[in-house]
Amino acid sequence: MRHAWERYAVRVFVASFAVLLLAGCSSADGKREVRRDSFPYWEKDAGASQAVEFMRVQVPKGAVEVKGAVRVQPQERVYLLSFLTEEKAAEAVADDLRSDYPLKVTNVSSSLSDDGFAHLDLVLPHEIRDVRSTSVCPPCVGDKRRRHVQGIEIHIEDRADGRARVYLTAY
């Protein structure tokens, strides 16, 4: 008799658990809601000012073609910023990031930005010959201004006219 009672108790427990599980997945009005966000997507009306604010960088005086965007991904936002400035000003931006590694020419096949700069109608940094780059983890180098930033990547394209295109990506 005890064996039958145990089977009955297990069935009641399983049935109760199933009811609770199903109830937890339903909305109050009984209609099932499904989140249909498709990632990644571009944050509407987000641009250079949002990227500057997040990265806590200064766009040099006299910089032109300042562009920015925010790509929303499932677990984070990726902030993109680009501008054209004097070479010295571009170097100052890179120095301000406090990277442990100097800017150097690399054969980078991709970057944090992935293809994001194409969204801004720019050539992708990893497609530029002799682009210099470095990256930094602000909390790792003790940069308290950017402790909320997990990583910043910078690419600098030096141009023949003494100017440089700066590409910044942060998350």
Side-chain angles (χ1 to χ4, degrees), residues 133-161:
S133 63
T134 191
S135 60
V136 65
C137 162
C140 302
V141 297
D143 187 348
K144 293 181 186 205
R145 300 167 300 164
R146 300 182 181 105
R147 65 178 166 256
H148 63 286
V149 179
Q150 295 178 45
I152 299 179
E153 186 177 81
I154 186 169
H155 299 279
I156 296 179
E157 172 194 12
D158 296 314
R159 299 202 171 173
D161 62 358

Side-chain angles (χ1 to χ4, degrees), residues 29 117 136:
D29 62 4
F117 286 105
V136 65

Side-chain angles (χ1 to χ4, degrees), residues 51 54-55 77-80 112 149 151-153 168-171:
F54 179 77
M55 294 181 202
R77 286 176 160 67
V78 176
Y79 294 79
L80 305 172
L112 291 175
V149 179
I152 299 179
E153 186 177 81
L168 288 157
T169 308
Y171 69 100

Side-chain angles (χ1 to χ4, degrees), residues 50-124:
Q50 288 77 16
V52 165
E53 182 179 336
F54 179 77
M55 294 181 202
R56 301 219 172 127
V57 295
Q58 291 188 2
V59 175
K61 258 188 169 172
V64 295
E65 298 179 26
V66 180
K67 299 179 179 190
V70 179
R71 184 176 56 218
V72 180
Q73 300 183 155
Q75 295 186 8
E76 74 248 342
R77 286 176 160 67
V78 176
Y79 294 79
L80 305 172
L81 177 65
S82 182
F83 50 87
L84 191 59
T85 189
E86 300 298 317
E87 280 183 23
K88 277 188 167 188
E91 293 284 342
V93 171
D95 290 343
D96 182 58
L97 296 178
R98 302 179 184 172
S99 177
D100 287 336
Y101 306 98
L103 284 166
K104 66 178 183 175
V105 175
T106 59
N107 293 325
V108 175
S109 61
S110 67
S111 70
L112 291 175
S113 66
D114 194 25
D115 63 351
F117 286 105
H119 175 74
L120 299 174
D121 296 322
L122 295 170
V123 175
L124 303 180

Side-chain angles (χ1 to χ4, degrees), residues 12-73:
V12 168
F13 174 76
V14 170
S16 299
F17 183 74
V19 167
L20 290 173
L21 183 63
L22 290 173
C25 294
S26 301
S27 62
D29 62 4
K31 294 179 183 174
R32 185 176 171 169
E33 294 181 29
V34 177
R35 188 171 176 165
R36 298 192 187 277
D37 292 339
S38 59
F39 293 100
Y41 63 89
W42 296 101
E43 190 170 305
K44 187 177 173 148
D45 300 325
S49 61
Q50 288 77 16
V52 165
E53 182 179 336
F54 179 77
M55 294 181 202
R56 301 219 172 127
V57 295
Q58 291 188 2
V59 175
K61 258 188 169 172
V64 295
E65 298 179 26
V66 180
K67 299 179 179 190
V70 179
R71 184 176 56 218
V72 180
Q73 300 183 155

